[in-house]
Amino acid sequence: MQNEFENTPPQRIYLDHNATTPLSSSLKEKWMELFELWGNPSSIHASSRPGKKHLRESRQKFAEFLGCSPLEIIFNSGASEGNNTILKSVWLERGLDRSEIMISQIEHPSVMKSAEYLKSLGAVLKLIPVSRDGALDLNFVRAEISNRTALISVMIANNETGTVFPIQELSQIAHAHGALMHSDCVQMPGKMKLDFNSLGVDYATFSAHKFYALKGTGIVFAKKSAPWIPLIHGGGQERSRRGGTENILGIASLGIVLDSFGQADRKILEMTRLRDLMEKMILEKIPRVTVTAQKSPRLSNTSSLIIDDADGETMLMSLDLKGFSVSTGAACSSGNPEPSPVLLALGLTRAEAQHSLRISLGWGTDESQIQKFVSTLTEVVEKLRALKKEEKQYAIS
Ligand SMILES: Cc1ncc(COP(=O)(O)O)c(C=O)c1O
């Protein structure tokens, strides 16, 4: 194995870390310990203790990572659940007095579809526009917010383009009008350096599989004062905020991975260096490529490219056959020939969006992988463009 965060087959180069990350190999080392965590943490007897201990420790470590109280941390199945719970919870608590919800045009489907569902129940949904360089229209927010607004929900950074949004300003605007503020922070841990408390949000959502831990583990930050209605009613787990026996293995994996977070700042700097180097090489070697929102504040690891005369799905499949994992947009829309709604919302044409490729680096990415990727991408694009040219000539003749 190459390094702790590159737990992938040696012949494959994984550059799709915004979809999910490989498991940290520290989990392999602790596997026997994890194997012992089968007891139900709600039981009174001794068999529950190893799990209870991990539950407590992981909660404490994540609270330290954010700089909040462990009481403000709620574990669940993932960020999709967290996003659903928050939107629906605020609507149930506040909807009668405040019927408006404001989200950005480029939220993850778990926010977008929850908001559309609430609209079908009577909520007024306001979509905050984004510009081609990925900037959020704060003037729209200032003009549209009122004492009817229950919640603003805007992600900290977009999973497809990597653009980062001004959450602190949005929290200030929301609070000045008595509204609550939520941020989907799934793409933040290990990819951007940030003082979480400075965001001033009432809610934030996270997902452990986006930072080297197991899938099926979500984390919600909910301020003590923030309204909360469980999406899943059941036992008294998570202080009765989320019913269901806890996913102890996933939660324990989160705590183990957080022990490596001392390296985060160094890893973020290195990913920025490699991403910038990769973009520079691609722009030098391949003509007619645009980097989406290149000049805007972006996550350290993400690059979204528009490559003229090269179809995104075909590039993805050709790269896959040559041992590279990348994406054309969000993982949940792969296999879907429709262009990315995020890129369309930025104002790209359908044709441009169909020529997109997303590359997202991770803590295990190194320079030799980037060199190999750029030279293979160059070959793939040259081949696709040559084929396209032949097709055109054939059509004319
Ligand atoms: C920004 C964002 N929000 C939410 C999610 C959903 O997370 P989960 O897989 O934990 O449900 C994702 C996953 O792709 C994401 O990128």
Side-chain angles (χ1 to χ4, degrees):
M1 195 186 311
Q2 297 88 330
N3 76 37
E4 189 185 343
F5 301 102
E6 218 229 321
N7 200 2
T8 52
Q11 66 276 20
R12 180 149 282 272
I13 293 181
Y14 185 79
L15 294 169
D16 197 14
H17 292 81
N18 287 6
T20 195
T21 48
L23 293 176
S24 159
S25 57
S26 60
L27 295 174
K28 221 181 217 172
E29 286 153 25
K30 300 245 176 168
W31 177 242
M32 290 317 289
E33 195 183 318
L34 291 173
F35 204 71
E36 297 306 320
L37 303 179
W38 49 267
N40 188 329
S42 299
S43 303
I44 308 291
H45 48 67
S47 306
S48 69
R49 278 180 212 141
K52 249 184 211 144
K53 177 172 169 283
H54 275 277
L55 189 55
R56 193 176 52 246
E57 285 178 3
S58 294
R59 193 187 308 281
Q60 180 67 38
K61 284 182 201 172
F62 200 75
E64 274 166 26
F65 169 65
L66 295 186
C68 69
S69 157
L71 297 176
E72 293 172 313
I73 298 295
I74 304 163
F75 289 123
N76 60 19
S77 70
S80 296
E81 182 185 328
N83 290 340
N84 269 265
T85 313
I86 290 161
L87 268 83
K88 292 171 188 174
S89 195
V90 170
W91 170 250
L92 286 173
E93 276 273 334
R94 295 256 173 117
L96 274 183
D97 300 331
R98 290 174 171 260
S99 58
E100 291 174 9
I101 292 169
M102 224 187 258
I103 68 173
S104 85
Q105 271 181 332
I106 57 172
E107 291 303 307
H108 185 265
S110 54
V111 168
M112 184 63 80
K113 291 194 177 154
S114 296
E116 283 167 0
Y117 170 67
L118 298 179
K119 188 177 169 193
S120 77
L121 300 182
V124 176
L125 178 58
K126 295 191 168 169
L127 295 179
I128 312 167
V130 277
S131 65
R132 193 168 171 117
D133 59 4
L136 196 77
D137 188 346
L138 282 178
N139 287 334
F140 175 93
V141 181
R142 289 190 193 99
E144 293 291 328
I145 194 159
S146 72
N147 60 6
R148 303 283 302 150
T149 312
L151 179 75
I152 300 183
S153 174
V154 172
M155 60 197 348
I156 191 145
N158 185 264
N159 42 310
E160 290 188 42
T161 59
T163 47
V164 172
F165 297 120
I167 303 302
Q168 189 180 30
E169 274 136 289
L170 287 166
S171 293
Q172 283 161 0
I173 301 173
H175 293 155
H177 292 81
L180 292 154
M181 179 70 206
H182 163 236
S183 184
D184 173 339
C185 290
V186 163
Q187 297 294 342
M188 182 265 263
K191 294 177 189 160
M192 61 190 286
K193 200 176 162 195
L194 173 102
D195 168 13
F196 176 76
N197 275 314
S198 71
L199 299 179
V201 295
D202 301 284
Y203 306 98
T205 34
F206 301 88
S207 182
H209 76 91
K210 304 284 184 177
F211 48 99
Y212 310 96
L214 290 174
K215 289 172 184 57
T217 309
I219 312 108
V220 170
F221 160 81
K223 246 190 195 166
K224 283 180 203 151
S225 56
W228 186 268
I229 296 179
L231 187 71
I232 299 180
H233 289 93
Q237 292 91 352
E238 299 302 291
R239 296 180 163 251
S240 299
R241 291 170 296 178
R242 200 274 185 178
T245 305
E246 298 88 342
N247 169 9
I248 287 296
L249 283 191
I251 294 170
S253 78
L254 167 74
I256 293 166
V257 168
L258 285 174
D259 289 339
S260 305
F261 261 61
Q263 310 173 48
D265 290 356
R266 187 170 56 78
K267 293 283 185 190
I268 290 168
L269 279 178
E270 179 59 3
M271 288 193 302
T272 311
R273 184 185 78 79
L274 291 175
R275 192 270 315 268
D276 291 350
L277 174 70
M278 177 184 78
E279 288 181 350
K280 185 168 174 285
M281 289 195 297
I282 289 175
L283 292 173
E284 275 167 13
K285 285 179 171 237
I286 313 176
R288 292 181 288 126
V289 175
T290 322
V291 181
T292 304
Q294 191 179 19
K295 299 272 181 286
S296 303
R298 279 186 300 161
L299 290 173
S300 58
N301 75 321
T302 309
S303 186
S304 172
L305 306 175
I306 306 296
I307 306 180
D308 288 1
D309 283 335
D311 174 68
E313 292 280 320
T314 318
M315 277 190 286
L316 185 150
M317 287 185 286
S318 310
L319 287 163
D320 188 28
L321 290 173
K322 290 174 186 288
F324 297 87
S325 302
V326 294
S327 100
T328 51
C332 26
S333 60
S334 60
N336 179 356
E338 278 302 298
S340 147
V342 167
L343 298 179
L344 295 180
L346 291 183
L348 271 69
T349 62
R350 281 177 75 84
E352 282 173 319
Q354 257 151 349
H355 294 108
S356 71
L357 204 61
R358 178 187 74 178
I359 302 119
S360 49
L361 282 56
W363 285 14
T365 309
D366 64 27
E367 196 165 325
S368 74
Q369 294 183 335
I370 293 296
Q371 303 276 3
K372 283 184 198 145
F373 172 69
V374 174
S375 81
T376 309
L377 178 68
T378 311
E379 275 170 37
V380 165
V381 173
E382 275 169 6
K383 202 166 163 192
L384 290 180
R385 285 180 176 170
L387 278 173
K388 192 152 190 183
K389 206 169 162 188
E390 262 178 44
E391 268 172 28
K392 270 188 197 157
Q393 278 167 351
Y394 185 71
I396 295 165
S397 58

